[in-house]
PDB file of all heavy atoms in Angstrom:
ATOM      1  N   HIS A 110       9.730   4.688   3.192  1.00 96.00           N
ATOM      2  CA  HIS A 110       9.591   4.197   1.825  1.00 96.00           C
ATOM      3  C   HIS A 110       8.646   5.078   0.985  1.00 96.00           C
ATOM      4  O   HIS A 110       8.915   5.375  -0.184  1.00 96.00           O
ATOM      5  CB  HIS A 110       9.061   2.749   1.923  1.00 96.00           C
ATOM      6  CG  HIS A 110       8.859   2.076   0.603  1.00 96.00           C
ATOM      7  ND1 HIS A 110       9.852   1.387  -0.047  1.00 96.00           N
ATOM      8  CD2 HIS A 110       7.737   1.957  -0.179  1.00 96.00           C
ATOM      9  CE1 HIS A 110       9.369   0.908  -1.163  1.00 96.00           C
ATOM     10  NE2 HIS A 110       8.071   1.217  -1.275  1.00 96.00           N
ATOM     11  N   SER A 137       0.452   2.540  -5.685  1.00 94.00           N
ATOM     12  CA  SER A 137       1.322   1.345  -5.703  1.00 94.00           C
ATOM     13  C   SER A 137       0.552   0.091  -5.334  1.00 94.00           C
ATOM     14  O   SER A 137      -0.667   0.150  -5.194  1.00 94.00           O
ATOM     15  CB  SER A 137       2.507   1.551  -4.738  1.00 94.00           C
ATOM     16  OG  SER A 137       2.058   1.449  -3.430  1.00 94.00           O
ATOM     17  N   GLY A 138       1.309  -0.990  -5.111  1.00 91.00           N
ATOM     18  CA  GLY A 138       0.645  -2.239  -4.713  1.00 91.00           C
ATOM     19  C   GLY A 138       0.126  -2.180  -3.299  1.00 91.00           C
ATOM     20  O   GLY A 138      -0.775  -2.935  -2.932  1.00 91.00           O
ATOM     21  N   GLY A 139       0.696  -1.291  -2.505  1.00 90.00           N
ATOM     22  CA  GLY A 139       0.318  -1.221  -1.092  1.00 90.00           C
ATOM     23  C   GLY A 139      -0.407   0.071  -0.677  1.00 90.00           C
ATOM     24  O   GLY A 139      -1.003   0.134   0.378  1.00 90.00           O
ATOM     25  N   GLY A 163      -2.980  -0.809  -6.964  1.00 97.00           N
ATOM     26  CA  GLY A 163      -2.143  -1.895  -7.547  1.00 97.00           C
ATOM     27  C   GLY A 163      -2.683  -3.281  -7.100  1.00 97.00           C
ATOM     28  O   GLY A 163      -2.696  -4.218  -7.888  1.00 97.00           O
ATOM     29  N   PHE A 166      -5.597  -4.049  -9.219  1.00 98.00           N
ATOM     30  CA  PHE A 166      -5.165  -4.532 -10.543  1.00 98.00           C
ATOM     31  C   PHE A 166      -4.750  -5.994 -10.413  1.00 98.00           C
ATOM     32  O   PHE A 166      -5.114  -6.827 -11.246  1.00 98.00           O
ATOM     33  CB  PHE A 166      -3.960  -3.701 -11.025  1.00 98.00           C
ATOM     34  CG  PHE A 166      -4.331  -2.541 -11.912  1.00 98.00           C
ATOM     35  CD1 PHE A 166      -4.558  -1.297 -11.384  1.00 98.00           C
ATOM     36  CD2 PHE A 166      -4.447  -2.685 -13.298  1.00 98.00           C
ATOM     37  CE1 PHE A 166      -4.888  -0.201 -12.172  1.00 98.00           C
ATOM     38  CE2 PHE A 166      -4.810  -1.617 -14.111  1.00 98.00           C
ATOM     39  CZ  PHE A 166      -5.014  -0.371 -13.565  1.00 98.00           C
ATOM     40  N   ASP A 167      -3.974  -6.316  -9.359  1.00 95.00           N
ATOM     41  CA  ASP A 167      -3.474  -7.678  -9.202  1.00 95.00           C
ATOM     42  C   ASP A 167      -4.583  -8.672  -8.948  1.00 95.00           C
ATOM     43  O   ASP A 167      -4.574  -9.797  -9.436  1.00 95.00           O
ATOM     44  CB  ASP A 167      -2.431  -7.745  -8.073  1.00 95.00           C
ATOM     45  CG  ASP A 167      -1.199  -6.905  -8.399  1.00 95.00           C
ATOM     46  OD1 ASP A 167      -0.977  -6.614  -9.595  1.00 95.00           O
ATOM     47  OD2 ASP A 167      -0.484  -6.528  -7.463  1.00 95.00           O
ATOM     48  N   PRO A 178       2.680  -9.921 -10.787  1.00 89.00           N
ATOM     49  CA  PRO A 178       1.637  -8.915 -10.613  1.00 89.00           C
ATOM     50  C   PRO A 178       0.926  -8.611 -11.942  1.00 89.00           C
ATOM     51  O   PRO A 178       1.592  -8.492 -12.971  1.00 89.00           O
ATOM     52  CB  PRO A 178       2.419  -7.690 -10.117  1.00 89.00           C
ATOM     53  CG  PRO A 178       3.788  -7.872 -10.720  1.00 89.00           C
ATOM     54  CD  PRO A 178       4.007  -9.319 -10.934  1.00 89.00           C
ATOM     55  N   GLY A 180      -0.895  -6.003 -13.042  1.00 97.00           N
ATOM     56  CA  GLY A 180      -1.048  -4.647 -13.572  1.00 97.00           C
ATOM     57  C   GLY A 180      -0.566  -4.460 -15.007  1.00 97.00           C
ATOM     58  O   GLY A 180      -1.325  -3.987 -15.865  1.00 97.00           O
ATOM     59  N   PRO A 181       0.698  -4.873 -15.292  1.00 97.00           N
ATOM     60  CA  PRO A 181       1.217  -4.654 -16.625  1.00 97.00           C
ATOM     61  C   PRO A 181       0.397  -5.355 -17.727  1.00 97.00           C
ATOM     62  O   PRO A 181       0.177  -4.826 -18.794  1.00 97.00           O
ATOM     63  CB  PRO A 181       2.621  -5.236 -16.558  1.00 97.00           C
ATOM     64  CG  PRO A 181       2.994  -5.067 -15.109  1.00 97.00           C
ATOM     65  CD  PRO A 181       1.748  -5.312 -14.372  1.00 97.00           C
ATOM     66  N   ASP A 184      -2.839  -3.496 -18.359  1.00 98.00           N
ATOM     67  CA  ASP A 184      -2.499  -2.298 -19.099  1.00 98.00           C
ATOM     68  C   ASP A 184      -2.380  -2.649 -20.595  1.00 98.00           C
ATOM     69  O   ASP A 184      -2.967  -1.966 -21.460  1.00 98.00           O
ATOM     70  CB  ASP A 184      -1.169  -1.761 -18.527  1.00 98.00           C
ATOM     71  CG  ASP A 184      -0.783  -0.400 -19.079  1.00 98.00           C
ATOM     72  OD1 ASP A 184      -1.519   0.115 -19.940  1.00 98.00           O
ATOM     73  OD2 ASP A 184       0.245   0.157 -18.645  1.00 98.00           O
ATOM     74  N   GLY A 263       4.968   5.239  -7.503  1.00 95.00           N
ATOM     75  CA  GLY A 263       4.481   3.897  -7.174  1.00 95.00           C
ATOM     76  C   GLY A 263       4.279   3.121  -8.465  1.00 95.00           C
ATOM     77  O   GLY A 263       4.220   3.717  -9.556  1.00 95.00           O
ATOM     78  N   GLY A 264       4.205   1.792  -8.371  1.00 94.00           N
ATOM     79  CA  GLY A 264       4.181   0.906  -9.557  1.00 94.00           C
ATOM     80  C   GLY A 264       3.141   1.279 -10.587  1.00 94.00           C
ATOM     81  O   GLY A 264       3.362   1.185 -11.782  1.00 94.00           O
ATOM     82  N   VAL A 265       1.944   1.745 -10.142  1.00 97.00           N
ATOM     83  CA  VAL A 265       0.870   2.016 -11.063  1.00 97.00           C
ATOM     84  C   VAL A 265       1.099   3.326 -11.865  1.00 97.00           C
ATOM     85  O   VAL A 265       0.440   3.622 -12.834  1.00 97.00           O
ATOM     86  CB  VAL A 265      -0.521   1.982 -10.367  1.00 97.00           C
ATOM     87  CG1 VAL A 265      -1.660   2.128 -11.349  1.00 97.00           C
ATOM     88  CG2 VAL A 265      -0.690   0.703  -9.571  1.00 97.00           C
ATOM     89  N   ALA A 267       3.289   3.622 -13.769  1.00 97.00           N
ATOM     90  CA  ALA A 267       3.704   3.137 -15.111  1.00 97.00           C
ATOM     91  C   ALA A 267       2.504   2.903 -16.029  1.00 97.00           C
ATOM     92  O   ALA A 267       2.673   2.681 -17.219  1.00 97.00           O
ATOM     93  CB  ALA A 267       4.504   1.826 -14.967  1.00 97.00           C
ATOM     94  N   ASN A 268       1.303   2.945 -15.499  1.00 98.00           N
ATOM     95  CA  ASN A 268       0.120   2.642 -16.298  1.00 98.00           C
ATOM     96  C   ASN A 268      -0.081   3.661 -17.440  1.00 98.00           C
ATOM     97  O   ASN A 268      -0.143   4.848 -17.180  1.00 98.00           O
ATOM     98  CB  ASN A 268      -1.119   2.584 -15.407  1.00 98.00           C
ATOM     99  CG  ASN A 268      -2.344   2.158 -16.153  1.00 98.00           C
ATOM    100  OD1 ASN A 268      -3.084   2.961 -16.685  1.00 98.00           O
ATOM    101  ND2 ASN A 268      -2.546   0.852 -16.250  1.00 98.00           N
ATOM    102  N   ASP A 296      10.067  -0.444  -6.790  1.00 94.00           N
ATOM    103  CA  ASP A 296      10.798  -0.252  -5.530  1.00 94.00           C
ATOM    104  C   ASP A 296      12.305  -0.346  -5.816  1.00 94.00           C
ATOM    105  O   ASP A 296      12.758  -1.250  -6.484  1.00 94.00           O
ATOM    106  CB  ASP A 296      10.411  -1.363  -4.540  1.00 94.00           C
ATOM    107  CG  ASP A 296       9.024  -1.104  -3.970  1.00 94.00           C
ATOM    108  OD1 ASP A 296       8.483  -0.016  -4.206  1.00 94.00           O
ATOM    109  OD2 ASP A 296       8.510  -2.008  -3.317  1.00 94.00           O
TER     110      ASP A 296
HETATM  111  O1  KG4 B 401       5.315   0.381  -6.148  1.00 91.36           O
HETATM  112  P1  KG4 B 401       5.309  -1.072  -6.400  1.00 91.36           P
HETATM  113  O2  KG4 B 401       6.485  -1.646  -7.084  1.00 91.36           O
HETATM  114  O3  KG4 B 401       5.111  -1.899  -5.095  1.00 91.36           O
HETATM  115  C1  KG4 B 401       4.732  -1.396  -3.873  1.00 91.36           C
HETATM  116  O4  KG4 B 401       5.555  -0.731  -3.210  1.00 91.36           O
HETATM  117  O5  KG4 B 401       3.571  -1.653  -3.545  1.00 91.36           O
HETATM  118  O6  KG4 B 401       3.983  -1.372  -7.235  1.00 91.36           O
HETATM  119  C2  KG4 B 401       3.625  -2.658  -7.678  1.00 91.36           C
HETATM  120  C3  KG4 B 401       2.234  -2.587  -8.242  1.00 91.36           C
HETATM  121  C4  KG4 B 401       1.651  -3.945  -8.584  1.00 91.36           C
HETATM  122  O7  KG4 B 401       0.392  -4.007  -8.005  1.00 91.36           O
HETATM  123  C5  KG4 B 401       1.589  -3.939 -10.099  1.00 91.36           C
HETATM  124  O8  KG4 B 401       0.532  -4.708 -10.632  1.00 91.36           O
HETATM  125  C6  KG4 B 401       1.387  -2.501 -10.418  1.00 91.36           C
HETATM  126  O9  KG4 B 401       2.227  -1.827  -9.477  1.00 91.36           O
HETATM  127  N1  KG4 B 401       1.770  -2.118 -11.769  1.00 91.36           N
HETATM  128  C7  KG4 B 401       0.875  -1.659 -12.707  1.00 91.36           C
HETATM  129  C8  KG4 B 401       1.630  -1.421 -13.888  1.00 91.36           C
HETATM  130  N2  KG4 B 401       2.933  -1.728 -13.655  1.00 91.36           N
HETATM  131  C9  KG4 B 401       2.992  -2.123 -12.357  1.00 91.36           C
HETATM  132  N3  KG4 B 401      -0.432  -1.429 -12.622  1.00 91.36           N
HETATM  133  C10 KG4 B 401      -1.049  -0.977 -13.702  1.00 91.36           C
HETATM  134  N4  KG4 B 401      -0.424  -0.732 -14.887  1.00 91.36           N
HETATM  135  C11 KG4 B 401       0.920  -0.944 -15.031  1.00 91.36           C
HETATM  136  N5  KG4 B 401       1.517  -0.690 -16.211  1.00 91.36           N
END
Side-chain angles (χ1 to χ4, degrees):
H110 180 86
S137 74
F166 267 91
D167 297 338
D184 188 357
V265 186
N268 185 269
D296 286 350

